[in-house]
Amino acid sequence: MTAASALRLERWAPWLLLVLIVLAWQAVCSAFQVSEFIFPSPARIAEELVEFRGEILKHAWRTFWVTLAGFSLSIVVGVLLGFLVGSSRLAYAAVYPLMTAFNALPKAAFVPILVVWFSIGIGPAILTAFLISFFPITVNMATGLATLEPELEDVLRVLGARRWDVLVKVGLPRSMPYVFGSLKVAITLAFVGTTVSEMTASNEGIGYLLISAGSAMRMGLAFAGLVVVGAMAMAMYEFFAVVERRTTAWAHRGSQAR
């Protein structure tokens, strides 16, 4: 296989795998005549997507922009907090254990508290998306700065660079591959946080649609909502992957750099 053929196969591999999964899913549902109330087939989900496309689009847009609002907040807080933690050994030792303990808390448990504070609406959804997604960004930003080679820092100090110069001119660029890696993970978590919040503290969004469809025993519509959330998360993941390849290609080798 030539390099061009291998690269083409690599690009189409996710789509080919998705098609195989859908075909196998449809074959199992058809062969065993699985009830749509238990496990709807891809064909039934597609029918629901077409039939309720207007309603799904309205809820999907709400979930999308709320997720981006919470995710944008997580980027700001995550990068700033990660810079603080990664640039100081004292801050790293003091803050990192507390952040790890906080991250272990189930974020769904915060939703009732946020409802009391901010009432039902976009507030709890934005904050839940933020709470569940800022930790990976903070950790990777801090890791990128904390793992800066001491030898490199010593050389720069000899050349007259101050600590701030080392962090901003060397540490930050070196941390970018870590940050972009965390962004791809964090955006998917943000969608999870928004959807979970909408299931209990909203009258709009995909999460609300899932609860409504489940209550009405329309499992095809519920799965259609899940498909839409997955598609939005995949699209945002690919967006950050493209930005990563164009801005930090120097950090990747082999097939990842293509």
Side-chain angles (χ1 to χ4, degrees), residues 182-254:
S182 68
L183 292 180
K184 293 187 292 184
V185 174
I187 186 60
T188 59
L189 295 176
F191 276 104
V192 173
T194 301
T195 304
V196 168
S197 179
E198 289 172 344
M199 293 175 70
T200 56
S202 180
N203 54 8
E204 289 184 77
I206 294 296
Y208 173 77
L209 177 66
L210 294 177
I211 293 297
S212 301
S215 301
M217 298 300 293
R218 301 196 65 103
M219 299 307 294
L221 180 58
F223 272 79
L226 293 175
V227 168
V228 170
V229 172
M232 291 191 295
M234 287 176 58
M236 292 305 300
Y237 180 97
E238 185 59 28
F239 169 77
F240 285 112
V242 171
V243 175
E244 178 186 22
R245 287 195 295 267
R246 297 195 175 187
T247 56
T248 63
W250 52 268
H252 301 280
R253 296 176 176 84

Side-chain angles (χ1 to χ4, degrees), residues 80-89 91-93 95-96 99 138 142 146:
L80 292 178
L81 186 58
F83 186 88
L84 171 64
V85 174
S87 59
S88 169
R89 295 181 60 181
Y92 192 96
V95 177
Y96 198 90
M99 288 180 52
T138 301

Side-chain angles (χ1 to χ4, degrees), residues 37-51:
F37 296 108
I38 299 176
F39 195 58
S41 66
R44 180 57 182 166
I45 295 173
E47 292 175 5
E48 296 288 293
L49 278 169
V50 173
E51 181 178 354

Side-chain angles (χ1 to χ4, degrees), residues 23 32 90 100 120 125-127 129 138 143 187 203 220 231 237 241 243 245:
L23 291 176
F32 295 96
L90 177 60
T100 303
I120 292 177
I126 291 176
L127 291 175
T138 301
T143 300
I187 186 60
N203 54 8
Y237 180 97
V243 175
R245 287 195 295 267

Side-chain angles (χ1 to χ4, degrees), residues 109-123:
F110 285 92
V111 176
I113 300 173
L114 296 175
V115 170
V116 173
W117 290 350
F118 300 99
S119 184
I120 292 177
I122 64 172

